[in-house]
Amino acid sequence: MRVIDADTIDVGSTRVRLHAIDAPEQDQICQTEHGVDFACGVWASAQVADRFEGRYARCGQKDTDRYGRVVAACQVGDVDMGQEIVSQGWAFAYRRYGMVYDLDEKSAYVADRGLHGFLVQSPAQFRQTRAKGRIPPDPFCRIKGNISKNGRIFHVPGQELYERTGINTAKGERWFCSPAEARAAGWRAARR
């Protein structure tokens, strides 16, 4: 088995996303208690590699994710990889997909083990924040003015395509603080 990052491995030629855990992204930065930046995604991956790289893993598939990876619970010997990774504080319980490691994370948190000893943004929040053009620079101006083949359209939070819409200011797209402001600038409301 080869470790790709703290929650993804290759078992033979199969890419496996470990079930119900979420680790920092490779480019994610955390901070020490003294405010020093720390490459926590790289660190977490190295910890998992040190513990499991090159060992034989038995995995039971639970699902397939949107990237085509097998989602599985994996064992190395008698060790549940997800439980070990979360217990050591190298990743978090991904409660959205299962509560199986909830108590393991709480135990690591109480002991300040691993990532819990640092200032760290949840990996899910980090992914959302880095999604280009999806997070407004001003939290009070959240309306997305998008330019598409259908013209200048604005999306408000809660609409069907809001989360998927990114704003590219280089193309003339922009953020608005109110629907009235968007309309006054010549944009129309999205239908969905």
Side-chain angles (χ1 to χ4, degrees), residues 34-94:
H34 301 293
V36 177
D37 285 348
F38 166 62
C40 57
V42 172
W43 175 83
S45 297
Q47 301 308 304
V48 174
D50 285 349
R51 175 72 171 89
F52 294 110
E53 183 81 35
R55 310 234 359 237
Y56 176 78
R58 292 182 326 276
C59 299
Q61 183 170 352
K62 304 241 181 220
D63 202 354
T64 303
D65 72 9
R66 64 183 173 157
Y67 303 108
R69 298 176 298 190
V70 169
V71 177
C74 297
Q75 299 275 128
V76 172
D78 60 353
V79 175
D80 177 328
M81 286 184 70
Q83 183 177 32
E84 178 76 2
I85 292 167
V86 171
S87 293
Q88 294 301 321
W90 304 330
F92 302 94
Y94 209 174

Side-chain angles (χ1 to χ4, degrees), residues 13 15 36 46 49-50 69 111 123 132 135 148 162:
S13 62
R15 177 81 26 114
V36 177
D50 285 349
R69 298 176 298 190
K132 188 170 176 64
I135 304 299
S148 73
Y162 181 84

